[in-house]
Amino acid sequence: MKKIFIINGGQKFGHSGGRFNETITDATVDFFSSLQEFEVKTTNINDDYDPKEEVEKYVWADVVIYHTPIWWFQVPHGLKKYIDVVFTEGHKKGIYVSDGRKADNPTRNYGTGGMLHGRKYMVTSSWNAPKEAFTLPGEFFMETSVDDGVLFGFHRMNAFTGMEQIAGIHFHDVEKNADIRTALKLYQEHLTQNFLNTAVYEHLFNSNS
């Protein structure tokens, strides 16, 4: 049985009720819970959590799936706090042991001290910005993708722990022009391709068997 840890980072704050990410999170839980070969654990960053138990979820998981909106070109402060608190608790307890450098060669091997090797992670993000803001010349993000731009640091954070990236999916223009039905259809196809497609599935999980 493959173990999936799902984190809902859709923080409730100000005018945001976190409904879109709650819907996507529920779809993820439903997808994996309906299949016998998967076991699921979840966290909602809006709820109280025990940092030690959260570390144990990371160590337990084969795949960590993050769901997050993007606020002011960063993850919400509630998700950032969760990461700061949980990863700090996980120092030498399963998430990372050091930054990877040795005293005899302090300029090399930074970022190699993670303890989550063999695990994978995936992230979905939701945006007010339309996808064209990332792809068209002269538009705001200067033809820089979500993963190479705003989420670059997020991806390196997970790499620091030793986890490897599974391609994620990004939902655009959800504040003014949300199409939940289409988004859920695309997401279902994305999960099917990455977790049920035979060739992809074997690539993702053979190292963890």
Side-chain angles (χ1 to χ4, degrees):
M1 180 173 288
K2 300 305 177 183
K3 297 170 284 190
I4 311 294
F5 175 32
I6 302 164
I7 301 172
N8 179 4
Q11 185 177 349
K12 298 176 182 179
F13 177 78
H15 68 275
S16 175
R19 290 186 298 276
F20 183 86
N21 280 277
E22 184 174 355
T23 299
I24 297 298
T25 299
D26 288 345
T28 311
V29 173
D30 291 345
F31 178 88
F32 288 108
S33 297
S34 68
L35 300 165
Q36 290 185 346
E37 62 265 42
F38 295 100
E39 184 178 358
V40 173
K41 293 187 178 182
T42 64
T43 287
N44 186 326
I45 59 95
N46 296 283
D47 300 333
D48 293 336
Y49 52 84
D50 180 337
K52 181 178 178 180
E53 292 179 0
E54 298 306 303
V55 171
E56 291 171 353
K57 290 178 184 177
Y58 271 91
V59 174
W60 166 87
D62 294 311
V63 178
V64 178
I65 298 179
Y66 301 92
H67 297 299
T68 182
I70 301 298
W71 292 358
W72 291 107
F73 317 116
Q74 303 174 65
V75 300
H77 60 271
L79 178 56
K80 180 59 167 65
K81 178 182 178 181
Y82 172 88
I83 291 166
D84 288 346
V85 170
V86 174
F87 282 24
T88 298
E89 177 67 27
H91 181 218
K92 297 185 178 179
K93 297 177 184 176
I95 292 184
Y96 76 103
V97 66
S98 71
D99 69 11
R101 296 179 295 164
K102 305 297 183 184
D104 60 351
N105 196 3
T107 66
R108 297 293 184 270
N109 298 316
Y110 177 82
T112 61
M115 300 175 72
L116 293 177
H117 294 281
R119 281 95 167 165
K120 311 292 193 294
Y121 77 95
M122 188 185 87
V123 58
T124 75
S125 68
S126 56
W127 294 77
N128 173 51
K131 63 181 180 180
E132 290 80 6
F134 299 86
T135 60
L136 294 180
E139 289 297 319
F140 186 79
F141 290 100
M142 299 181 290
E143 299 178 81
T144 303
S145 71
V146 172
D147 293 298
D148 291 337
V150 169
L151 286 185
F152 178 81
F154 186 88
H155 289 305
R156 299 320 299 160
M157 173 199 80
N158 284 284
F160 190 98
T161 72
M163 289 194 286
E164 298 177 16
Q165 181 183 357
I166 299 171
I169 184 170
H170 307 299
F171 302 100
H172 297 287
D173 211 3
V174 301
E175 187 168 336
K176 295 182 175 67
N177 294 299
D179 183 346
I180 301 298
R181 181 173 296 180
T182 298
L184 287 173
K185 181 177 183 294
L186 290 172
Y187 184 51
Q188 183 86 13
E189 292 171 353
H190 182 84
L191 291 176
T192 299
Q193 173 63 25
N194 282 279
F195 292 94
L196 299 186
N197 176 282
T198 302
V200 176
Y201 183 89
E202 290 177 352
H203 172 72
L204 288 175
F205 290 118
N206 274 353
S207 62
N208 289 353
S209 299

